[in-house]
């Protein structure tokens, strides 16, 4: 792939009456990781949701290689949404076996049940949580639910060009932290670009090439 994976220009996002995010420009290259840091309410999650095509844009455009552009109040194109994957800070509630939750992204993209389960099992193993496969999702701890949310993304790889991770290690114990970081590095090695929102500056230093610090929805330094 030549050129940037992600290109953002003149972005403005409102949450209700409040201007929640304003960024003049941002680029991300294939295989590159950008850490988005800042206090609560600084706009980290808003940026990830906007890039994921889940928020209306008051102004600006977000362009994703192979997926077209998201702009204005129009829904993001299907090709755009399928060129990325998002792991939320709090995974969607789900009643059922963890293995089935790990297949959600694949099933939504037309992968058959058997193939989706096989890829989900591989993803659970990559993150060291294969033992959760038969567990009911509501019985999982917060850290286990976070790992399961990441497994959804791992099952999709390498199809998505862009991975968006909101507090990817929140609640994750030391025993699984190395597996998460190893998976992130492997995804980058396959050419995926990553944008991760985190309070953990040490994690950002270990995993990211660059850091974007947000304060009150704006970059505290010029956006990289």
């Amino acid at each position: 792939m030549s050129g940037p994976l992600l290109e953002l220009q003149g972005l403005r996002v409102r949450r209700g009456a409040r201007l929640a995010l304003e960024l003049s420009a941002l680029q991300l290259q294939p295989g590159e990781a950008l850490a988005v840091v800042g206090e609560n309410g600084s706009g980290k999650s808003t940026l990830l949701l906007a890039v994921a095509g889940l928020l209306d844009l008051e102004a600006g455009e977000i362009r994703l290689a192979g997926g077209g552009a998201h702009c204005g109040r129009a829904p993001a194109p299907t090709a755009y949404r399928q060129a990325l994957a998002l792991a939320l800070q709090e995974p969607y509630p789900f009643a059922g076996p963890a293995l089935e939750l790990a297949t959600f992204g694949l099933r939504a993209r037309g992968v058959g049940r058997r193939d989706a389960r096989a890829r989900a099992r591989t993803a659970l193993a990559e993150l060291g949580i294969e033992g959760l496969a038969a567990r009911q999702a509501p019985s999982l701890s917060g850290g286990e639910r976070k790992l399961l949310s990441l497994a959804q993304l791992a099952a999709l790889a390498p199809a998505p060009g862009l991975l968006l991770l909101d507090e990817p290690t929140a609640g994750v114990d030391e025993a699984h932290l190395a597996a998460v970081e190893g998976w992130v590095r492997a995804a980058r090695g396959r050419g995926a670009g990553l944008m991760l929102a985190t309070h953990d500056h040490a994690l950002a230093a270990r995993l990211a090439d660059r850091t974007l610090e947000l304060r009150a929805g704006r970059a505290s330094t010029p956006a990289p």
Side-chain angles (χ1 to χ4, degrees):
M1 181 186 298
S2 60
L5 172 64
L6 171 74
E7 193 166 15
L8 176 159
Q9 293 287 336
L11 185 67
R12 288 170 59 92
V13 179
R14 289 192 180 273
R15 307 293 294 267
R18 179 175 64 92
L19 181 62
L21 186 66
E22 186 171 27
L23 284 177
S24 60
L26 181 66
Q27 285 191 353
L28 188 69
Q29 303 298 323
E32 184 178 24
L34 173 70
V36 184
V37 301
E39 299 176 350
N40 291 335
S42 62
K44 303 187 304 296
S45 295
T46 296
L47 175 58
L48 265 61
L49 290 169
V51 171
L54 299 177
L55 294 178
D56 293 340
L57 309 183
E58 181 180 80
E61 179 182 80
I62 305 171
R63 185 167 293 277
L64 189 58
H70 170 44
C71 57
R73 298 184 181 277
T78 299
Y80 180 100
R81 289 183 279 108
Q82 292 190 346
L84 59 83
L86 168 67
L88 295 169
Q89 187 170 345
E90 285 294 330
Y92 292 115
F94 174 72
L99 180 64
E100 294 302 322
L101 179 58
T103 69
F104 269 14
L106 293 166
R107 299 299 302 280
R109 297 177 192 204
V111 178
R113 186 182 184 86
R114 179 175 295 181
D115 288 346
R117 282 186 165 191
R119 287 170 62 174
R121 288 187 188 279
T122 298
L124 293 173
E126 286 178 351
L127 289 161
I129 56 170
E130 58 268 42
L132 300 183
R135 289 266 305 274
Q136 294 294 309
S139 75
L140 302 179
S141 69
E144 288 170 335
R145 289 197 302 272
K146 172 60 71 174
L147 289 164
L148 190 54
S149 181
L150 293 174
Q152 287 183 307
L153 272 68
L156 287 168
L162 178 64
L163 300 175
L164 305 170
L165 313 179
D166 198 353
E167 299 291 352
T169 58
V172 174
D173 58 28
E174 289 292 331
H176 291 96
L177 186 59
V180 172
E181 294 188 13
W183 171 73
V184 167
R185 294 188 178 98
R188 293 185 60 189
R190 293 190 290 263
L194 282 94
M195 184 181 294
L196 59 103
T198 182
H199 287 89
D200 188 339
H201 288 263
L203 178 76
R206 290 196 302 273
L207 293 183
D209 301 290
R210 298 179 288 137
T211 297
L212 170 63
E213 183 171 1
L214 294 178
R215 293 179 184 173
R218 293 175 174 83
S220 62
T221 56

